[in-house]
Structure formats: structure tokens, C-alpha cells
Amino acid sequence: MNAGLSRLPLALFISIALLAACLALRVADPEPVARLRLSAFDTYLRAAPRQVDPSFPVRIVAIDEAALAAVGQWPWPRTKLADLVSKLFAAGAASVTFDMVFAEPDRLSPEVLLRSLMDDPGQAAAIASLGRLSSNDARLAAAIDEAPVVLGVAGNSSVTSKIAPYPGAVSFAGDDPLMFVHSFAGGVQNLPNLTKAARGIGAVNWLPSSDQVLRRIPLLVSIGGALYPSLALEALRVGTKQSTIFIKSSGGSGVEALGQKTGIESIRVGETVLPSDGRGELWLKFAPSDPRRTISALSVLNGTVKTDDLKSRHIIIGATATGLLDLRATPLEAAVPGVEIHAQALEQMLAGDHLLRPAYATGAEIAFLIIVGVLVAWLIERSGALIAAIVGLASIAFIILISWLAYSRAGLLFDPVYPSLSVALLYFGVSLTSYIKSEIQRAEIRSAFGHYVAAPLIEELARNRDKLKLGGETREITLLFADVRGFSKISEGLRAEELIRFVNRLFTPLTDVILGHSGTIDKFMGDAVMAFWNAPVHDADHASNACRAALAMLDRLAALNDATKAEAAAAGVPFMPVRLGIGLNTGECVVGNVGSPQRFDYSVLGDVVNVAARFEEATKTFGARIVVGERTAAQAPQFAFLELGSVTPRGKDRAENVFALLGDETYAASEAFLNVRSAHVAFLAARQAGDPGRTEDALAACMRVAPEDMVTYYRNSVSEKIAT
């Protein structure tokens, strides 16, 4: 297995590793990952909350600041609450639900006061009077018994007292819901007489996310091993006059779980079907808070409330006064009264406008991540980072769009954040790997060509590796051969280390000249150097650049000779000038890596190379310092060329005309060169005509205007040493 992995391309290996890490993190689903998902759902909810029902089928009767100011501090005497229940029932409320638990007797009840006076003999009359009064809790129980009232129960694992049985009925199909719902060992319940009088009992518990934001409520909980509906669900059952809550779980009819215990699928009360996640929770689709949803308890008690505001409505009684500290955070608001959470949950149940995170959502998100992640990694490797980026961005935009449409059109919750971030991470990870790989390849190119090619050309090769065809290719190349004249005589008087120092001192400036004119150094051969142009980087002016380099080499050689002459004079030793012969030729060659896998050089092969070397040798014969082939001269016509004659390279049948390179464009346009060229043309014409007298006169005219480079050529012509 390790051997197989070692054969994988680095980018593919990194892609697999990053994708596996992203998938493992998603399956583990730690808190930061879950928080990202919830933040996306919160954003959707803020962008498109549930619309407020203008009929307000659910009303909050609030224990607010106004009611506290008029009636007194909380808790009120339960006679006031009995009064409140009676008035709501008389107004035709469909149900009355208390968002509170009456676990202790009323501290203001007559029997409580009676017990406090029993030891005081002076309070006999008060004791007798109180003894004739009924209990406040009994009066509240009587009021509850007359109305469709739902009381709360609070699941609490630290309490082990036995809870009264649920007054309604629960029926389920499939796996037992107790396997999936949130469980409490015990709970806090109402006084027995209140519990007995109530039509329904609902759990007031809710379980906020780790950030303390309430997004879901448990529709069912287990308290002491028995199922209890939530307060809102029980208010729905009692308010719609239903007796039974029906639960459909995994394994039930119509629920495809493929043998897996996936949890609770849905909960039905009458005709109302509530979607559920596996644990029996309902995602809340909040509507904006609206003051019209709330009625002050004071207006009910003093009879100023309109009957139409209460008739056939589901009433939830709870505290909204800030001092009572019953506040909760939701995705829409930082703090709302807890009673409003129950009211909004009940409104949502009645409206049927739900949110649901399907059981297959996680699998769909993971499948998307795998498909897009593999596609992006493959595209980076095959088509480059730009195409992969386009596809990756398009995929991210696609999942965000699909996620939004699923939310806004169907109320389905799909996470757009983690798959998008994972694709982005995968893209940047693989891109970084490709970048590092490219930098390594560029470093290899710089290392391979740093001693042969000018720095700008190395950078161009590093940026555009396609310009380097390492396998070999045919190109038109301009070759330069340069050889030191009389090197054997120079080396005879030098020790080995002195000879090396001399050669290095000579070729260092010449190398700088070649590289500075976009040339590539092929090799040094003792006292000679070979260079070429138009490879590995394309150079449209390769012939001209080679000519400029050859002229500059002679200039640098002259400066070197001046320096060594001064040094020789200072040392009192003889000065021996260094001279170069340079040959230039242009033609098609094969250029590429030559050698073996163990050792190779970037070089050129072909007849053009041999002919260029022959031209360098011809400098000795013609007496010109730079001899150029006719193709080179034709491609650099702006330079100062004079035709010398013809050369037949070894192994060739056809002679080739050669030219002396005397100067650059400036010199070619000068009057001095025009005079030289005019005299030279006249000399060649006279010699071609075979007229000795005319040839002799023309040669004399050439000698009068000849530059130093041509003096030897004309002297050889006088001695008839030049082949015609």
C-alpha cells in the first residue's frame, strides 16, 4: 500500500489527504463545524423569516410591567390567576396554556396565613375568619377544571420524584420514540390538584445550541421514562380538541430507514403533521416579533381587552417583564421573552410553515464534497489552477444557490458553508502544492541553465517551461565559435595555476558579453568557447544579437589587453597581447539535452555547428577577426559587412561566401565605412575581371582606407595568399 502511495503524483496525494481530512472532520462534526452550519441557517432565516399571520391565532397574555405595577409583585395570588383563566375562558379562548410550573402552594393562600397565626392567641378572630376561606390553589384548580388549560412540567435529572402520568394518549408506529428523545430522570410538576384539573401537561424544556441561541424545541421528551409533549405541542392538542399524539419512527409504515434506527420521522396531531429530526425536535422558523401578538394581563383582568382578540385563539400566559429574567436568544433577536418562543412554535404548527433538515442532508453534502473536490483536484492537475478555480467557484455558487432555494421554496436545510470551505481548502491546498512543485521545477531550471544562459532568460524559462523542449527540437540557431590565437605560445611561459587564472580572467568578461546579449554558452574547450542564440528561449533577432556579442567581445578583449599591458609594464615583464578569432554561422540545428540520463548537456547538433567552427578557423586564412556566414549576414543587414570570399567546409561540396564583420549599425552608416566598402567593392570587381593593373590600384585604395581588421586581409591579397 505504501509503495502504491509513493507512486502517486504529489498533487493527487495531497488532494486525497485533504479530501479525507475534510470528510473525517465533517463526519466527526465538532462544534466549530456545526457552528458554521448553524450560522448559515441563521443567515437564511434573517433573510426570509416566517411571515407574521395577521390573524394572530396565538396570543400571549403577558405578565408585563403594567400588570405588575397594578396588581403587585410576582408571584401573584393564584386567585388572580384563577380570575385570569375564567375571563379568558368566558371570552371563548380555544386553549389557555401556562408557561410556568406551580410546584409550591400559594404563599398568600388562607391556609398558609392560618398556619403562621396559629401560635398567636390574640389572632383568634382572624384565625376563625381565615378558616372559613377556601385555598387559593383550590380556586385556581376549579377555574382550570372549567377551561381547556395546559400546565407545564419541567424535566430535571436532579429530581427523582415521580411525575404524574400524561393525561393524553401517545401512539407510535416503528421504533420506540423513547430511544431517541431527550431524556430526564425526573422533573418538577404542579400541585396534584392543579395537575388533576388540567386538560393537558406539556414540557417547558428547551435545549439551546452551544452558543445559547434557540433554534429548535423538543416536541417530545422523556421524563422519568414516560413521554411528554412540549408545551406548544400540548397546547395544539388541547386547543384542537384532540386526544392522541401519533408518532412515526424509523421502521414504521412508509418510513424508509433501510434497517437503520434513524429516529422520529414525524408527529401528527389531528390533521396537523409536524416534521421532526431524528430526536423529535422541531426546527423553529421564527417570525419577527410583533407587539400585536401580546396582550397585557392587566387588560384581561380589568375587562378592557376586546373579546375578539381572545375568541377562538390559543392563549399562552407568561412573563415578559424584564425584571423576571425569562429571556432567550433567537437567530432573529438577541433577547425575547421565553413565552414568545412557545407562542411562535405554536403559530408555526398551526401555519404549517416548517423547516426540516432531512436525514439524507449530511450524506448529500458529503457526496457533493467528494465529487467537486475530486473534480477540482483533477482539473488543477490537468487544466491548471485557473480552470479549476472557475469550476470550484461555480460549484460553490451552485451549492449556495441550491441551499437557498431549498430553504426558501421547500423549507429544507442544507449546509452550504462547510462543503464550500472544504472545496476552497482543497483548491488552495492543491494549488499550493502545484505552486511548490513549479517552484522546485523552476529552481531545477535555474540550476541547470544558470551557468549557460543570462539571468533574464532563466526567469523566462522558469515562467514558461513550454519554451524548453528538453527532448530535442529543430530550430534555426546562430552559432559563435571564439578561439584564442597563439594560445600554445602564451601557455608555454605560464605555470599551471597561472594558466588557469589567465583563462578565467579572459573568459569571464567574454561570458558576461555573451549572456548579456541573450546568448547561451554551450561549452568551453580549452582556449575556445562555443555559444548559440535562439535556444532555449526564442529570439527573433538571434543573428543580430550574435553579431553584437562578437563585436562586444573584441571591445572587452581590447580593454583586457590594455589592463594586462599596464600590469606587465609595472612588473617589468614582456607584454603578450591576446587575440581572438570569431566565427558566426546561422542555420537549422537540433537543440536539446544531449548525453545520457546520468549526465547530459543542453547543446546543439548539426552541420551548422561544424561550418561555424570552420569559419572561426578561416579567420586565420582571411586575416579578419570575425568571419560570418552568408545567412547570418543576410539576417543582420544593418551591420558593417565586407565580403571576403568563399569557404568550402570539410565534407561539403558547395562553397559558401563569408563576410568580415567590422562594426555595428552606427559604423555601417558612417562615411568611413562607406569609403571602405566602396574601395572594397571596386577591388573585388577588378579581381573578378582579371585586370592586374586595375586590381593593384584598387588594392592600394583599400589599403589607404582599410580599418585594422582588414589590413591583414589586404596584405594577404597582395601576397596572393587568398584563394579566389
Side-chain angles (χ1 to χ4, degrees):
M1 181 175 179
N2 292 335
L5 288 175
S6 65
R7 291 193 294 270
L8 288 175
L10 179 60
L12 181 58
F13 178 79
I14 295 295
S15 302
I16 294 173
L18 285 175
L19 187 57
C22 290
L23 292 175
L25 191 63
R26 179 60 188 86
V27 171
D29 201 24
E31 178 59 29
V33 174
R35 187 74 63 85
L36 286 173
R37 181 167 62 251
L38 294 176
S39 67
F41 299 159
D42 292 349
T43 301
Y44 288 166
L45 186 59
R46 286 190 288 269
R50 180 171 55 82
Q51 296 301 305
V52 174
D53 186 346
S55 68
F56 295 103
V58 179
R59 287 298 185 96
I60 298 170
V61 170
I63 313 299
D64 57 6
E65 283 82 357
L68 292 176
V71 178
Q73 70 179 26
W74 187 261
W76 291 342
R78 290 184 185 156
T79 53
K80 286 291 182 185
L81 297 180
D83 215 13
L84 191 61
V85 171
S86 297
K87 290 180 181 296
L88 292 172
F89 178 58
S95 66
V96 177
T97 301
F98 279 96
D99 178 23
M100 57 192 72
V101 179
F102 304 108
E104 301 291 339
D106 186 357
R107 62 183 176 83
L108 300 177
S109 190
E111 69 273 16
V112 177
L113 295 176
L114 182 62
R115 284 195 298 269
S116 67
L117 297 174
M118 290 297 291
D119 296 332
D120 188 352
Q123 300 294 332
I127 292 172
S129 177
L130 289 172
R132 292 191 294 270
L133 297 177
S134 61
S135 165
N136 289 358
D137 292 317
R139 292 176 62 182
L140 177 58
I144 291 174
D145 190 56
E146 296 294 326
V149 173
V150 176
L151 296 180
V153 61
N156 190 329
S157 292
S158 64
V159 178
T160 58
S161 59
K162 188 175 181 180
I163 300 297
Y166 173 58
V170 175
S171 175
F172 65 89
D175 295 321
D176 188 345
L178 287 171
M179 300 169 57
F180 312 112
V181 300
H182 295 282
S183 178
F184 301 93
V188 178
Q189 61 182 334
N190 299 278
L191 296 172
N193 60 336
L194 299 180
T195 300
K196 184 178 179 181
R199 304 278 180 89
I201 300 294
V204 297
N205 300 85
W206 41 47
L207 302 171
S209 303
S210 61
D211 57 0
Q212 298 305 304
V213 175
L214 196 68
R215 300 178 177 89
R216 292 170 288 185
I217 62 167
L219 293 173
L220 298 165
V221 296
S222 170
I223 301 177
L227 277 177
Y228 285 82
S230 69
L231 195 67
L233 181 60
E234 185 69 345
L236 174 68
R237 182 188 71 81
V238 172
T240 56
K241 298 179 174 59
Q242 300 297 317
S243 61
T244 306
I245 295 174
F246 296 94
I247 304 170
K248 185 179 289 187
S249 303
S250 52
S253 175
V255 179
E256 295 183 6
L258 301 178
Q260 301 296 312
K261 297 185 182 299
T262 56
I264 298 173
E265 177 77 12
S266 65
I267 298 170
R268 180 171 63 84
V269 175
E271 299 299 320
T272 303
V273 178
L274 306 176
S276 166
D277 67 5
R279 301 202 68 180
E281 295 179 323
L282 177 71
W283 284 86
L284 294 177
K285 189 174 184 181
F286 287 97
S289 292
D290 193 313
R292 294 174 296 175
R293 184 184 286 117
T294 302
I295 299 171
S296 174
L298 178 61
S299 66
V300 178
L301 291 172
N302 63 20
T304 59
V305 66
K306 296 179 181 179
T307 304
D308 289 344
D309 288 340
L310 302 174
K311 187 176 181 180
S312 300
R313 285 177 167 82
H314 301 268
I315 306 300
I316 301 181
I317 302 173
T320 63
T322 304
L324 298 181
L325 301 177
D326 184 22
L327 299 175
R328 300 290 184 268
T330 73
L332 296 188
E333 299 180 66
V336 297
V339 65
E340 183 165 330
I341 306 295
H342 296 298
Q344 291 233 26
L346 182 53
E347 277 185 5
Q348 179 178 322
M349 295 175 188
L350 294 169
D353 188 5
H354 298 297
L355 295 177
L356 174 66
R357 179 158 170 80
Y360 59 83
T362 299
E365 292 157 5
I366 290 176
F368 173 86
L369 174 57
I370 293 174
I371 293 171
V372 177
V374 170
L375 178 62
V376 168
W378 181 78
L379 285 173
I380 290 177
E381 188 71 18
R382 295 295 299 271
S383 304
L386 179 59
I387 299 299
I390 293 173
V391 172
L393 288 174
S395 300
I396 291 172
F398 173 77
I399 192 173
I400 292 175
L401 176 62
I402 291 299
S403 176
W404 167 252
L405 291 176
Y407 167 83
S408 59
R409 303 290 176 85
L412 299 178
L413 297 174
F414 290 97
D415 179 16
V417 178
Y418 188 78
S420 299
L421 290 179
S422 298
V423 170
L425 174 65
L426 189 64
Y427 171 79
F428 285 115
V430 177
S431 295
L432 179 62
T433 303
S434 298
Y435 173 78
I436 294 173
K437 180 180 177 181
S438 298
E439 286 301 307
I440 293 174
Q441 292 172 337
R442 291 179 182 180
E444 292 173 349
I445 291 173
R446 293 186 185 99
S447 175
F449 289 88
H451 299 292
Y452 309 102
V453 183
L457 298 186
I458 295 176
E459 293 304 318
E460 180 67 16
L461 282 174
R463 287 191 299 269
N464 302 284
R465 295 181 64 251
D466 290 340
K467 293 186 176 183
L468 178 61
K469 190 174 181 181
L470 295 177
E473 61 179 320
T474 300
R475 278 196 188 185
E476 185 179 65
I477 300 293
T478 295
L479 275 298
L480 178 149
F481 276 86
D483 184 65
V484 178
R485 294 286 170 259
F487 181 76
S488 298
K489 186 175 181 180
I490 294 173
S491 62
E492 287 175 358
L494 299 174
R495 296 191 304 273
E497 57 272 17
E498 292 176 335
L499 180 62
I500 293 297
R501 189 162 52 249
F502 165 77
V503 171
N504 291 341
R505 186 178 184 186
L506 170 64
F507 282 124
T508 295
L510 301 185
T511 298
D512 293 341
V513 168
I514 292 172
L515 298 180
H517 288 80
S518 304
T520 299
I521 296 176
D522 186 294
K523 60 178 68 73
F524 294 97
M525 302 163 288
D527 60 334
V529 61
M530 172 184 169
F532 53 86
W533 279 257
N534 201 32
V537 177
H538 177 69
D539 182 3
D541 298 324
H542 55 90
S544 297
N545 286 332
C547 291
R548 289 192 183 91
L551 293 169
M553 290 170 71
L554 295 183
D555 292 340
R556 294 293 291 272
L557 182 63
L560 178 63
N561 280 330
D562 291 341
T564 54
K565 182 178 181 180
E567 293 169 2
V573 297
F575 166 64
M576 185 174 295
V578 179
R579 294 181 175 83
L580 283 180
I582 300 175
L584 295 175
N585 190 33
T586 300
E588 289 189 347
C589 298
V590 175
V591 59
N593 277 337
V594 178
S596 69
Q598 293 79 21
R599 180 69 173 88
F600 56 82
D601 289 313
Y602 190 77
S603 186
V604 292
L605 299 174
D607 291 338
V608 178
V609 181
N610 301 327
V611 173
R614 180 69 179 91
F615 289 167
E616 182 273 316
E617 294 174 359
T619 59
K620 304 172 185 176
T621 304
F622 288 107
R625 292 194 291 177
I626 304 175
V627 174
V628 178
E630 54 187 313
R631 289 187 65 174
T632 304
Q635 292 190 26
Q638 71 275 27
F639 287 83
F641 291 111
L642 292 181
E643 184 179 348
L644 298 176
S646 61
V647 171
T648 303
R650 285 188 293 270
K652 298 292 182 181
D653 297 329
R654 187 183 73 84
E656 184 169 350
N657 291 333
V658 293
F659 301 82
L661 173 61
L662 303 183
D664 58 11
E665 300 94 328
T666 302
Y667 180 66
S670 67
E671 183 178 356
F673 177 69
L674 295 177
N675 292 334
V676 171
R677 186 174 65 181
S678 177
H680 186 78
V681 170
F683 165 68
L684 293 180
R687 190 170 64 175
Q688 183 68 27
D691 186 341
R694 181 180 160 198
T695 299
E696 186 175 347
D697 292 341
L699 187 58
C702 288
M703 290 293 288
R704 287 193 294 272
V705 298
E708 182 182 355
D709 285 6
M710 293 297 293
V711 170
T712 302
Y713 172 79
Y714 290 126
R715 286 175 180 169
N716 290 344
S717 297
V718 172
S719 304
E720 297 182 350
K721 292 182 180 180
I722 298 178
T724 59

